[in-house]
């Protein structure tokens, strides 16, 4: 991924984008005399442009994402929308952390002997800056899998030790047994899962022996560090080559080939193999640094008639997606293909631009202003919407409501979900009335569960106590996969959802007074056949629930909370927005990945002792005992 150039005209900006951004001037064109209607053809044309291979999946910070931002700004400009970004431009600039890189100071020593970086060791992807110096303990394959009933750490005290494990799993090379990709146990073989298992066992670090292929053709090739993985677990984890691993085991009287044969013969690791490695020690110093990419929200405004001062309705959609996928695609991991994101979220961005045209060419001004927000960085953790809510271009106190469009292009059987309906008392009546209009009449799901909370940019506004609605046409088999292409878009359905949003906008903008915010309930399992599309159960179902909402992209050690979920253990304990989690059961929490790993190793009903800082990184220290609940 290449670093963006800084054009001369924008050198004074804290973060600048490509010179192409500067070509969109704030000069206001004459508004068309005829109102531009919302049509399926225009909706599909915008989706096709944004989801074209030429934009390479619109990964945040990449040239294709910048081209998408420029396109949105051009459409806003042509419609007669006024720019609302930094220094009179269309762009609200911010930095996005798109991954991490390994610094040259990273070093590994075994028994005092330094290893050669890249040749004898590499760093496991997703590892942050951290250190360990301890004796070594062998744990076989280092597998921890409830589904396969394999627990290599059971009954073994590895606290404070650096554990050594083999890559892969028994039978995996032959595609047999419990640890193939088609079996639930296959998840436990992934390097990150092995790291998390060692972390949960309170080891000091992990060394993975990257074994040769069975025929010896693998040589000493080591997995490269994937720079696209962002937040780093502060737990040192490295690969060492096959030849280094063999020498390490031989020092403890173990032959690698014999060990592999023994481990292939049973479902559990024999106790005789789990042992300290003959007094061997290691020193691991992993130094990785975040990779920053400048990006921007595209922001415009259509002024109202002034009858409600500077109050406004915000309409948002994220225009970024997953680029070429790889590690960023949770449902197609490792697939290096363009993820065009036609539904997610070229469709929502197309709806946003259609509403901008429709609103700007309205014969009579609305009672309130309308702010149009095309967000970047949503796929990296709601970065753009969080940045806007932290640095609003119009004060959030003046925001009457936020309407968010994310994945509105694949409606089946006239389905549309409108989430967070209870976040303001008038919403339900307004939505139902707008849906009764000629040419809309969708089959609405107005529940507050499932995808309503925490799944898109509306969550940033909910955390800021702004009533918000979420428009969504349902999950599908192409979600976060390279197959989410424009030829599968239901343009008529997308246009109808856009019209529904427009009708709601008119009614919300005309409310006699700003509605009171009502915190939505905690998410529940979604309708399993929403819109006729089978929807998978949420990934957190059945897992322990803490209930904090992290401020993605926040700097400093610990996990800064952007809010807490209503009814969650965190809320019941008194935690809230602005708190920073720094310790969990006596272990320091430095990154979100640390917190995720600690929560993932806990059980429903566990009482955890946490330490938070309130009032900034050097604020007051508070301690709480919090009992984890079952995620509903």
């Amino acid at each position: 991924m290449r670093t963006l150039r800084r054009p001369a005209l924008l050198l004074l900006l804290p973060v600048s984008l490509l010179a192409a951004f500067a070509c969109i001037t704030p000069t206001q064109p004459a508004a068309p005399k005829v109102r531009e209607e919302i049509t399926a053809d225009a909706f599909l044309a915008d989706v096709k442009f944004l989801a074209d291979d030429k934009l390479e999946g619109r990964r945040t910070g990449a040239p294709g994402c910048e081209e998408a931002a420029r396109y949105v700004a051009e459409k806003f400009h042509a419609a007669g929308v006024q720019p609302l970004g930094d220094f009179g431009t269309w762009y609200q600039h911010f930095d996005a952390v798109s991954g991490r890189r390994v610094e040259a100071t990273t070093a590994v020593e075994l028994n005092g002997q330094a290893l050669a970086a890249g040749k004898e060791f590499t760093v496991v992807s997703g590892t942050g800056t951290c250190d360990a110096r301890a004796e070594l303990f062998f744990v076989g394959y280092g597998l921890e899998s409830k589904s396969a009933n394999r627990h290599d750490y059971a009954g073994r005290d590895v606290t404070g030790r650096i554990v050594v494990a083999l890559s892969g799993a028994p039978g995996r090379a032959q595609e047999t047994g419990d640890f193939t990709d088609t079996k639930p146990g296959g998840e436990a073989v992934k390097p990150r899962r092995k790291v998390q298992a060692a972390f949960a066992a309170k080891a000091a670090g992990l060394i993975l022996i990257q074994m040769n292929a069975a025929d010896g053709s693998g040589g000493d090739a080591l997995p490269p560090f994937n720079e696209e993985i962002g937040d780093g677990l502060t737990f040192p984890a490295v690969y060492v080559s096959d030849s280094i691993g063999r020498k390490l085991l031989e020092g403890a009287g173990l032959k690698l080939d014999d060990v592999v044969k023994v481990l292939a013969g049973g479902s559990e690791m024999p106790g005789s193999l789990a042992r300290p490695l003959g007094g061997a020690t290691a020193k691991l110093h992993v130094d990785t640094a975040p990779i920053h990419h400048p990006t921007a929200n595209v922001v415009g405004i259509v002024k109202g008639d002034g009858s409600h001062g500077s109050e406004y309705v915000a309409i948002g959609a994220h225009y970024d997606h997953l680029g070429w996928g790889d590690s960023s695609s949770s449902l197609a991991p490792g697939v290096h293909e363009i993820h065009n994101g036609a539904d997610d979220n070229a469709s929502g961005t197309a709806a946003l631009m259609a509403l901008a045209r429709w609103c700007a060419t309205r014969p009579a001004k609305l009672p309130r202003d309308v702010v149009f927000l095309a967000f970047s960085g949503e796929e990296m953790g709601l970065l753009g919407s969080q940045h806007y809510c932290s640095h609003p271009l119009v004060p959030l106190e003046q925001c009457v409501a936020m309407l968010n469009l994310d994945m509105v292009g694949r409606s089946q059987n006239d389905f549309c979900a409108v989430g967070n309906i209870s976040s303001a008392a008038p919403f339900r009546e307004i939505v139902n009335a707008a849906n009764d209009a000629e040419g809309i009449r969708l089959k609405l799901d107005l529940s507050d569960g499932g995808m309503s909370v925490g799944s898109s940019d509306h969550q940033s506004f909910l955390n800021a106590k702004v009533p918000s609605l979420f428009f969504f046409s349902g999950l599908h088999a192409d979600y976060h996969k390279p197959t989410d292409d424009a030829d599968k878009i239901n343009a008529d359905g997308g246009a109808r959802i856009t019209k529904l949003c427009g009708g709601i906008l008119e009614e919300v903008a005309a409310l006699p007074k700003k509605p009171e915010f009502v915190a939505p309930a905690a998410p529940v399992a979604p309708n399993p056949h929403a819109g006729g599309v089978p929807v998978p159960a949420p990934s957190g179902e059945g897992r322990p629930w803490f209930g904090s909402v992290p401020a993605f992209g926040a700097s400093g050690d610990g996990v800064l909370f952007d809010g807490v979920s209503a009814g969650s253990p965190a809320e019941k304990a008194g935690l809230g927005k602005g708190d920073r989690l720094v310790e969990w059961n006596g272990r320091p929490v430095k990154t979100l990945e640390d917190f995720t790993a600690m929560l993932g190793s806990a059980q429903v009903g566990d009482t955890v002792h946490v330490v938070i800082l309130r009032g900034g990184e050097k604020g007051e220290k508070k301690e709480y005992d919090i009992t984890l609940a079952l995620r509903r």
Side-chain angles (χ1 to χ4, degrees):
M1 302 182 74
R2 69 186 189 209
T3 303
L4 303 179
R5 295 187 295 256
R6 301 195 173 198
L9 292 177
L10 294 179
L11 282 176
L12 296 179
L13 294 179
V15 178
S16 58
L17 301 178
L18 285 177
F21 278 8
C23 73
I24 307 299
T25 69
T27 304
Q28 186 69 8
K33 294 180 180 179
V34 179
R35 183 174 192 175
E36 185 163 342
E37 296 301 327
I38 296 166
T39 67
D41 287 346
F43 178 90
L44 184 59
D46 285 335
V47 170
K48 285 183 174 180
F49 180 90
L50 294 169
D52 192 281
D53 280 356
K54 290 185 292 186
L55 271 65
E56 296 187 279
R58 311 185 307 278
R59 181 174 172 83
T60 298
C65 189
E66 296 163 10
E67 177 65 14
R70 188 185 67 83
Y71 181 80
V72 174
E74 287 178 339
K75 293 294 184 179
F76 282 177
H77 177 71
V81 179
Q82 299 176 32
L84 195 61
D86 302 331
F87 303 96
T89 71
W90 292 100
Y91 308 105
Q92 182 188 35
H93 302 83
F94 64 96
D95 261 8
V97 175
S98 64
R100 301 185 74 85
R101 63 173 177 269
V102 178
E103 300 289 279
T105 50
T106 296
V108 172
E109 293 181 9
L110 293 179
N111 294 321
Q113 297 296 312
L115 301 187
K119 181 180 180 181
E120 295 177 319
F121 83 91
T122 56
V123 178
V124 176
S125 303
T127 303
T129 295
C130 43
D131 294 272
R133 185 170 188 169
E135 68 171 347
L136 303 182
F137 191 97
F138 184 58
V139 290
Y141 283 102
L143 296 168
E144 183 68 26
S145 174
K146 292 180 182 178
S147 60
N149 194 29
R150 175 71 177 245
H151 307 283
D152 287 350
Y153 289 95
R156 288 148 188 147
D157 184 9
V158 297
T159 303
R161 292 165 160 170
I162 295 174
V163 293
V164 177
L166 308 180
S167 63
R172 186 172 178 82
Q174 297 76 31
E175 297 186 358
T176 60
D178 294 327
F179 299 102
T180 58
D181 289 334
T182 58
K183 299 289 183 65
E187 186 73 15
V189 183
K190 294 179 179 179
R192 293 301 297 158
R193 290 297 295 271
K194 291 195 177 188
V195 170
Q196 290 168 356
F199 181 82
K202 300 183 179 180
L206 170 67
I207 295 173
L208 280 172
I209 299 174
Q210 183 65 20
M211 294 187 293
N212 290 340
D215 61 0
S217 61
D220 265 350
L222 288 164
F225 185 82
N226 187 340
E227 293 189 344
E228 290 189 354
I229 298 177
D231 203 15
L233 180 67
T234 51
F235 178 80
V238 300
Y239 298 101
V240 297
S241 66
D242 182 284
S243 57
I244 292 293
R246 289 177 184 274
K247 292 177 183 177
L248 192 60
L249 295 182
E250 286 171 1
L254 296 172
K255 290 187 176 181
L256 179 57
D257 295 337
D258 292 341
V259 168
V260 170
K261 290 178 182 178
V262 171
L263 293 178
S267 60
E268 289 293 335
M269 184 175 69
S272 59
L273 286 182
R275 65 174 77 171
L277 288 180
T281 62
K283 181 180 179 181
L284 310 179
H285 172 68
V286 178
D287 189 4
T288 63
I291 300 171
H292 293 272
H293 280 288
T295 188
N297 298 324
V298 186
V299 191
I301 187 169
V302 172
K303 300 293 288 185
D305 63 15
S307 59
H308 290 272
S310 297
E311 288 187 348
Y312 67 101
V313 180
I315 301 182
H318 75 90
Y319 67 89
D320 65 297
H321 195 52
L322 302 176
W324 284 78
D326 300 309
S327 62
S328 62
S329 178
S330 59
L331 298 181
V335 176
H336 187 69
E337 294 180 30
I338 295 174
H339 288 52
N340 279 319
D343 190 26
D344 185 16
N345 186 35
S347 67
T349 309
L352 180 72
M353 291 184 289
L355 287 165
R357 294 189 290 266
W358 179 78
C359 189
T361 57
R362 192 177 190 272
K365 292 184 177 180
L366 289 168
R368 290 180 172 88
D369 300 344
V370 182
V371 172
F372 294 92
L373 294 154
F375 298 115
S376 183
E378 191 270 355
E379 299 289 4
M380 291 184 174
L382 316 185
L383 298 184
S385 56
Q386 286 191 354
H387 182 78
Y388 179 85
C389 288
S390 298
H391 306 85
L393 298 170
V394 184
L396 285 182
E397 294 78 15
Q398 297 168 13
C399 187
V400 172
M402 191 271 185
L403 312 180
N404 183 40
L405 297 134
D406 194 348
M407 296 178 62
V408 294
R410 296 282 291 269
S411 177
Q412 293 189 23
N413 303 321
D414 299 326
F415 173 81
C416 177
V418 183
N420 307 122
I421 196 76
S422 66
S423 63
F427 276 170
R428 188 175 296 274
E429 182 178 349
I430 287 173
V431 172
N432 282 322
N435 192 49
D436 284 339
E438 187 70 28
I440 301 179
R441 293 174 184 166
L442 295 156
K443 296 175 183 176
L444 300 182
D445 179 352
L446 303 184
S447 67
D448 273 329
M451 296 293 289
S452 296
V453 180
S455 54
S456 186
D457 290 305
H458 56 277
Q459 182 63 52
S460 299
F461 287 81
L462 292 174
N463 293 341
K465 302 189 184 309
V466 175
S468 303
L469 291 174
F470 175 35
F471 298 82
F472 172 66
S473 63
L475 283 177
H476 46 76
D478 301 304
Y479 172 67
H480 275 204
K481 293 179 181 177
T483 49
D484 181 10
D485 282 318
D487 60 351
K488 297 177 181 176
I489 291 294
N490 175 0
D492 177 70
R496 289 166 66 194
I497 293 173
T498 306
K499 291 177 183 178
L500 172 66
C501 185
I504 294 167
L505 163 64
E506 290 186 318
E507 293 301 317
V508 171
L511 286 171
K513 64 177 183 178
K514 178 182 175 182
E516 294 290 327
F517 171 74
V518 180
V524 297
N527 180 343
H529 297 289
V533 181
V535 178
S539 60
E541 188 172 355
R543 297 181 181 179
W545 184 36
F546 187 79
S548 58
V549 180
F552 294 97
S555 60
D557 286 349
V559 177
L560 181 66
F561 295 161
D562 198 44
V564 293
S565 300
S568 68
E571 185 198 51
K572 291 176 181 178
L575 276 59
K577 182 180 177 68
D579 286 343
R580 185 181 292 268
L581 179 68
V582 296
E583 191 175 301
W584 176 284
N585 280 344
R587 301 184 74 175
V589 177
K590 294 186 177 181
T591 67
L592 178 59
E593 186 74 15
D594 292 349
F595 174 48
T596 302
M598 291 172 185
L599 181 60
S601 64
Q603 303 293 324
V604 173
D606 285 355
T607 297
V608 296
H609 185 77
V610 301
V611 177
I612 66 105
L613 296 180
R614 183 163 294 156
E617 286 189 72
K618 297 184 179 180
E620 183 182 6
K621 183 180 289 187
K622 297 280 188 178
E623 300 188 26
Y624 297 88
D625 289 316
I626 298 177
T627 301
L628 303 176
L630 176 67
R631 181 68 180 255
R632 291 184 286 167

